[in-house]
Amino acid sequence: MIKQNIPLPKSNIDPHGLIVGQGDFQYRVNSHWGLLDAQKTPVENCHGLAMDSQGRIVMVTDHPRNNVIVYNKDGKLLDAWGTQFPGAHALRIVNENGEDVIYLVDSGWVLNRNWDGKSTDDWASPYNKVIAQSGFIAKLTLDGRLIYTIGHPQTIGVYRPDQPFRPTDIAVAPNGDLYITDGYGSDYLLQYDANGCYIRHWGGGDNANPAHNLKNTHGIEVDLRNPQDPHLMVSSRAERALKLFELNGDYRGAIDAAGAYIGGPVFSGDHFFAPVCWSHIDGKNADDSGFISVFDRDNRVVANLGGTQPEYINGVLQPMRSTWDVFNHCHALCVDEDENLYVGQWRANQTYPFKLERVSG
């Protein structure tokens, strides 16, 4: 018998076939799209998603049996490989000189062979399910051959040895520069050139102007919607905000996410989508309360998928939260040419990604 985990939200009802979203952004949930035989191709967390130039959906997971899973758009398994990325957390696929390459981010978490079978959030315990080590970035060919790695910044004199480096995401600028968020480590944003040579870093947690701080910075992308004004959009997830920086690190502003523990943006035309891991409820991040926010060209929320309808009063976005009937913890997504979404989740009972099929717009 094939073992398949059906992803269930807090409502405990399979959302398959449910229509979600508002206005021009409504989607039919296909929660069965990515189901695989969990005995042959298991996942732990569906951490990162990207689409290659062939239209294949590539996902990274931190399961020790396979770190990279490749689907076609119908949800058929095409390939699965890799055991050398135990903390696989994010990826970017970039076409360089006519060939796709992968930038894979490993956050440095490893499954603990001494796990007590219960502890999942006691990060200091030697018996927690995952334990921390240093992370790294790997540049790979599309079939997984290693080109180079970027490791702990202590090796180039940028970090002290006692500063943790557990990166969470990477963006690639048009000139090839790399921007890496250290969201589980020291909360800096580090810039490297296309050859992996260090340029600068900024952020952290103790700037004279606290607006310049980053806190659990979890995602990043280059906003190219205005070609004359390229800049960085970075999640400061624990602050429930997206922060904007020039490509040289100068701070330029923030977008309040109104109670959403928001990840980095995924751009599609004039809009962007951002996965939300938790809603802020009763003063904390509530379990199983994720959703997806859709922002317009003016960086205003126009829809929430699996979340409450966005509302502005006197120009101020009101608190947003889950509707509890679709997602657990949204972590990553990608968009195809038909504007369908593919969504991966963290801590969702080792379940596979969803497809959200566009029905309006």
Side-chain angles (χ1 to χ4, degrees):
M1 178 180 294
I2 293 177
K3 179 184 178 184
Q4 294 178 325
N5 295 331
I6 302 296
L8 296 179
K10 196 168 185 177
S11 67
N12 209 35
I13 299 171
D14 184 356
H16 187 69
L18 187 67
I19 303 297
V20 298
Q22 301 89 26
D24 290 334
F25 291 90
Q26 295 184 48
Y27 301 79
R28 180 177 291 105
V29 177
N30 184 346
S31 61
H32 302 174
W33 173 82
L35 293 177
L36 300 173
D37 184 343
Q39 294 178 343
K40 295 180 179 179
T41 317
V43 297
E44 182 67 26
N45 298 289
C46 296
H47 263 152
L49 286 159
M51 187 169 291
D52 69 14
S53 60
Q54 302 174 55
R56 305 183 305 173
I57 293 89
V58 183
M59 185 185 77
V60 294
T61 174
D62 48 349
H63 197 283
R65 288 259 303 275
N66 42 249
N67 302 142
V68 179
I69 293 175
V70 184
Y71 290 99
N72 71 8
K73 285 184 283 189
D74 294 327
K76 179 183 177 181
L77 176 67
L78 300 178
D79 200 3
W81 52 268
T83 59
Q84 66 271 50
F85 309 107
H89 190 269
L91 80 160
R92 286 284 188 270
I93 298 177
V94 180
N95 194 273
E96 297 180 356
N97 301 316
E99 294 187 6
D100 286 349
V101 296
I102 295 174
Y103 291 92
L104 191 151
V105 181
D106 186 301
S107 287
W109 301 107
V110 293
L111 288 176
N112 186 3
R113 62 188 178 90
N114 296 315
W115 182 37
D116 62 11
K118 298 177 291 183
S119 304
T120 57
D121 291 314
D122 188 0
W123 308 114
S125 170
Y127 306 108
N128 198 55
K129 186 173 186 179
V130 295
I131 54 177
Q133 62 180 13
S134 291
F136 60 96
I137 312 296
K139 182 177 182 179
L140 308 161
T141 62
L142 200 58
D143 58 357
R145 288 179 291 115
L146 181 65
I147 301 171
Y148 67 67
T149 60
I150 296 174
H152 197 298
Q154 69 169 304
T155 63
I156 54 174
V158 176
Y159 276 23
R160 301 185 311 272
D162 64 324
Q163 287 182 269
F165 179 63
R166 300 182 189 119
T168 47
D169 201 9
I170 186 170
V172 184
N175 70 348
D177 281 0
L178 311 176
Y179 294 88
I180 297 167
T181 55
D182 186 15
Y184 279 137
S186 298
D187 267 325
Y188 286 106
L189 201 168
L190 300 105
Q191 181 184 357
Y192 296 80
D193 70 14
N195 295 313
C197 297
Y198 169 79
I199 297 174
R200 63 172 64 89
H201 70 289
W202 65 89
D206 61 353
N207 291 283
N209 182 347
H212 298 178
N213 293 344
L214 293 169
K215 190 172 182 181
N216 188 214
T217 177
H218 219 71
I220 183 171
E221 188 53 283
V222 183
D223 186 348
L224 298 171
R225 289 176 294 177
N226 179 356
Q228 307 306 314
D229 182 31
H231 58 275
L232 297 168
M233 187 177 290
V234 186
S235 70
S236 188
R237 194 169 70 170
E239 295 182 288
R240 301 179 294 284
L242 294 163
K243 295 193 173 181
L244 310 178
F245 295 92
E246 305 292 353
L247 296 181
N248 66 1
D250 290 344
Y251 178 75
R252 60 186 285 170
I255 305 166
D256 178 26
Y261 289 81
I262 199 160
V266 176
F267 290 94
S268 178
D270 284 340
H271 293 78
F272 71 84
F273 301 83
V276 173
C277 198
W278 305 279
S279 306
H280 192 66
I281 298 173
D282 296 330
K284 64 180 182 179
N285 51 338
D287 287 342
D288 298 311
S289 63
F291 57 96
I292 297 168
S293 288
V294 187
F295 292 75
D296 66 12
R297 189 174 182 85
D298 297 319
N299 298 331
R300 290 170 60 91
V301 183
V302 294
N304 285 315
L305 317 181
T308 53
Q309 183 165 345
E311 179 184 15
Y312 285 83
I313 297 178
N314 297 324
V316 178
L317 180 62
Q318 301 304 294
M320 306 184 297
R321 61 171 59 187
S322 171
T323 49
W324 307 104
D325 54 353
V326 186
F327 299 114
N328 300 102
H329 306 100
C330 294
H331 194 275
L333 61 90
C334 65
V335 188
D336 69 18
E337 69 276 10
D338 297 318
E339 300 183 332
N340 302 306
L341 307 182
Y342 304 84
V343 184
Q345 299 193 79
W346 170 80
R347 197 168 287 182
N349 193 32
Q350 297 178 304
T351 55
Y352 297 92
F354 286 3
K355 182 175 183 179
L356 301 187
E357 300 163 350
R358 187 80 179 263
V359 297
S360 68

